Amino acid sequence: MTDKPKVLVARKTFDDVVERLRAHFEVESNEADEVWSQDQLIERLQGMSGVYITGSEKIDARLLDACPGLRAVCTMAVGYNNIDVPACSARGVLVSNAPDVLTETTADFGFALMMATARRITESEHFLRRGEWRKWSYDMFAGSDVHGATLAILGMGRIGQAIARRGHLGFGMPVIYHNRSQLAPEIAAPLGAQWVEKDELLRRADHLLIVVPYSPAAHHMVGERELALMKPSATLTNIARGGVVDDAALARALAAGTIAAAGLDVFEGEPQVHAGLLAARNVVLTPHIASASIPTRRAMSHLAVDNLIAALSGGTPPTALNPEVLNRSPA
Ligand code: 8YV
């Protein structure tokens, strides 16, 4: 018998991460890394005080009402559009995410994806692997330049700023951005970043980088109308969330030559990918791996555990989204 609180690790993670939890809690871990339905998750959460999740598990009022013992929901992702934070707060459930630790790794990937898209790296590799490379020619897989081109960033949080720094300092790119709030001048100046209206951003972009968090207001923020504003030579790279871009409209724009190419790490309805994107020649597709370096995935996982331990042991979770719930006496 043990009186340790019970926690659920909803997806497979590093063994030592689970071991850290075992020192404090009775732990059940999804070692088979099955993707559970919400009903299966609810079933496994019975009697649990805390849960370690990823960006894939949906935590909403229905789940919370079915799991009244739950006190802490800690995700190893920075994005938390899968969690109804107000519903958690209303029930006194602490929520945390995992910011900062993935910023530089995700910015590296966004930049790499943008470069691969501009310089047609995967398209040319597929051509080579198919055995079609017979001779050199002057315009074979000629793409667009990255250095000196206008870097347009939609969303200018931590990751957007890290991408701006790479573009401005490393590649001499003029940087424009659109965000609800403007950066303080002392932050914008070293990034060479200038705030512009969204339509101007789209019109001037040589390379558009989308890093805005998903929210209902951001749904299809880039759709047919927005794509039509872009230069035919421009590229679009999305490392934010599926749903920010209208994938059907993007597939049409890529086929029609409205824009030159796209680099996509996130998709509407992933892991399904729109058939028009799969069929497109001028698109680089990756399976939501922007934060996937081993050190960063470890840091994200350990940060979720730091939060879970603190939340259930009377400590201060380092990256709580609703820390105010800890000051409330239990109902
Ligand atoms: C994660 C992400 O890999 O942190 C995020 O918001 O999108 C990625 O870094 C993913 O969400 C984990 O499920």
Side-chain angles (χ1 to χ4, degrees):
M1 272 302 280
T2 171
D3 53 5
K4 284 182 183 171
K6 291 185 184 159
V7 301
L8 178 70
V9 179
R11 295 295 305 274
K12 170 94 180 121
T13 186
F14 300 94
D15 289 346
D16 60 309
V17 170
V18 180
E19 283 316 306
R20 275 188 67 209
L21 287 171
R22 286 198 200 286
H24 300 260
F25 309 115
E26 195 178 315
V27 181
E28 271 182 38
S29 175
N30 179 3
E31 288 301 306
D33 206 27
E34 286 165 0
V35 178
W36 293 329
S37 67
Q38 205 197 33
D39 283 338
Q40 288 171 319
L41 180 59
I42 288 173
E43 198 181 310
R44 285 166 173 90
L45 279 173
Q46 296 310 304
M48 299 280 172
S49 302
V51 62
Y52 167 110
I53 62 165
T54 70
S56 308
E57 291 71 41
K58 188 175 172 193
I59 306 293
D60 59 8
R62 174 177 173 269
L63 178 141
L64 295 167
D65 288 340
C67 308
L70 201 58
R71 311 272 25 106
V73 171
C74 300
T75 175
M76 53 75 77
V78 66
Y80 51 91
N81 54 297
N82 54 321
I83 307 172
D84 184 340
V85 180
C88 288
S89 300
R91 292 160 181 80
V93 177
L94 187 283
V95 184
S96 67
N97 69 335
D100 300 321
V101 288
L102 79 183
T103 299
E104 298 300 328
T105 296
T106 304
D108 284 350
F109 188 88
F111 215 86
L113 188 55
M114 181 256 284
M115 292 193 79
T117 303
R119 297 301 307 273
R120 305 174 65 179
I121 287 178
T122 55
E123 186 187 351
S124 62
E125 186 189 351
H126 291 151
F127 164 88
L128 181 153
R129 286 180 185 272
R130 285 194 305 269
E132 292 176 20
W133 186 23
R134 307 258 183 271
K135 59 174 185 173
W136 177 92
S137 62
Y138 77 101
D139 63 348
M140 185 168 68
F141 295 107
S144 54
D145 275 324
V146 172
H147 72 273
T150 298
L151 175 59
I153 302 179
L154 185 57
M156 198 53 150
R158 293 167 284 235
I159 297 169
Q161 291 172 42
I163 290 171
R165 197 176 333 109
R166 283 159 176 72
H168 178 61
L169 300 178
F171 290 77
M173 301 175 87
V175 177
I176 53 177
Y177 74 97
H178 181 76
N179 198 50
R180 266 180 320 191
S181 57
Q182 298 191 28
L183 296 175
E186 64 275 17
I187 294 175
L191 305 175
Q194 182 203 354
W195 185 93
V196 294
E197 293 288 354
K198 184 175 133 192
D199 284 4
E200 186 182 344
L201 184 90
L202 296 160
R203 284 195 191 95
R204 287 175 55 189
D206 289 321
H207 301 298
L208 176 67
L209 247 300
I210 302 174
V211 278
V212 69
Y214 184 83
S215 66
H219 187 73
H220 287 185
M221 206 173 195
V222 177
E224 189 157 349
R225 187 193 79 81
E226 289 76 16
L227 290 162
L229 296 174
M230 295 178 70
K231 299 176 193 174
S233 56
T235 73
L236 173 157
T237 298
N238 185 9
I239 57 165
R241 272 288 181 277
V244 175
V245 174
D246 177 344
D247 284 353
L250 177 60
R252 289 194 298 274
L254 289 167
T258 309
I259 63 170
L264 305 173
D265 187 49
V266 288
F267 305 89
E268 291 190 275
E270 64 187 48
Q272 304 303 315
V273 177
H274 191 283
L277 295 174
L278 288 172
R281 164 194 64 74
N282 46 346
V283 62
V284 181
L285 305 171
T286 53
H288 202 146
I289 57 167
S291 68
S293 75
I294 296 289
T296 290
R297 284 286 168 82
R298 293 187 65 81
M300 294 161 73
S301 307
H302 278 292
L303 183 51
V305 165
D306 294 342
N307 278 288
L308 200 43
I309 293 171
L312 296 180
S313 320
T316 304
T319 54
L321 291 163
N322 57 354
E324 68 280 3
V325 303
L326 295 175
N327 302 327
R328 260 191 232 159
S329 47

